[in-house]
Amino acid sequence: QVQLVESGGGLVQAGGSLRLSCVPSGNILSNVKMGWYRQAPGKQRDLVATITSGGTEDYAEYVEGRFRISRDNRKNTMYLEMNSLKPEDTGLYYCRAWHPYRPREYNFWGQGTQVTVSS
């Protein structure tokens, strides 16, 4: 069984930066796709960014140019560098890892790390 543990969240002023990490434990497949999602209070969970095992990145429009996703394939660890943070970036940030062709069979979520951006 795979477990994902996020860290790096916290309280930051608008315009500031944070770096989130997602560390898996257990036997995780090397070809998994990984991504960050976030959920603000009372709202649905939204995609922030994804990255393939080959390093192809994809971003939601509202973070493009401010956030950068990366991964260390040797450790299967994933990161999210967040810059120019805005109050609307506040939320619980989740890490996800899934098989690109069998997402229903192989799909794991972390517990989330809180990011709060004050104005």
Side-chain angles (χ1 to χ4, degrees), residues 59-105:
Y59 297 90
E61 188 177 312
Y62 43 81
V63 303
E64 186 88 55
R66 299 187 297 122
F67 290 12
R68 182 170 182 271
I69 191 171
S70 62
R71 67 191 279 177
D72 181 340
N73 283 334
R74 294 171 303 171
K75 305 175 185 177
N76 275 317
T77 301
M78 179 178 64
Y79 306 95
L80 185 68
E81 193 78 37
M82 304 187 295
N83 300 306
S84 302
L85 282 162
K86 305 175 181 179
E88 50 264 45
D89 293 320
T90 293
L92 194 57
Y93 281 69
Y94 295 92
C95 168
R96 180 191 177 202
W98 70 99
H99 192 286
Y101 304 112
R102 301 180 316 194
R104 292 187 178 183
E105 301 168 35

